[in-house]
Amino acid sequence: MPRILAIDYGQKRSGLAVTDELQIIASGLTTVASSELMLFLENYFNQENVSKILIGEPKQMNGLPSQSAEIIQKFVADFKSKFPEKEVVRVDERFTSKLAFQSMIDSGLSKKQRQNKALIDEISATIMLQDYLTRSMI
């Protein structure tokens, strides 16, 4: 069974998470500079069977697109152009950064470790992916 990959896209860096081959467990993969993301994905897709890509859709509390939505929409268009065979699913990413930070506190990471924005992005992608898997099972 192919994997599902989640991308928490940001202007500077993007957090990535991926499922196991049975699509049961979401795990953080890495954080990549957004300027290098397409090359990273091309290499990753050559090594791993990935059929579906989740890309965060930033929204404000009222449900309207956030300021970064336009930047992410451009990435989505570029991604679809480069990888037309991959299914793209947009998922609400509200609160994932806050949940990621709280999970870092809950797991006992030091204040210095919690300041690692790359780790927050990777955990955010993992939360987004695990939420998607949980909703898909219902």
Side-chain angles (χ1 to χ4, degrees), residues 56-76:
E57 188 167 25
K59 295 182 180 182
Q60 298 176 46
M61 291 300 296
N62 62 6
L64 294 175
S66 75
Q67 291 178 337
S68 59
E70 190 175 313
I71 295 162
I72 296 172
Q73 189 56 43
K74 181 183 178 333
F75 168 75
V76 171

Side-chain angles (χ1 to χ4, degrees), residues 3-9 14-19 26-31 37 40-41 44-45 50 52-56 75 79 87 89 91 93 96 121-133:
R3 297 175 189 270
I4 301 172
L5 180 85
I7 302 172
D8 181 24
Y9 187 83
S14 298
L16 304 174
V18 67
T19 64
S27 301
L29 180 61
T30 191
T31 304
L37 183 56
F40 176 89
L41 292 172
Y44 189 77
F45 295 155
V50 177
K52 188 179 295 185
I53 312 299
L54 307 181
I55 301 175
F75 168 75
F79 180 91
E87 178 184 356
V89 177
V91 294
E93 66 174 34
T96 56
D121 293 338
E122 183 179 327
I123 294 171
S124 293
T126 306
I127 290 169
M128 197 169 46
L129 181 53
Q130 189 61 56
D131 184 58
Y132 177 82
L133 292 173

Side-chain angles (χ1 to χ4, degrees), residues 75-89:
F75 168 75
V76 171
D78 292 346
F79 180 91
K80 287 180 176 180
S81 176
K82 185 165 181 74
F83 305 106
E85 73 285 0
K86 304 291 184 196
E87 178 184 356
V88 174
V89 177

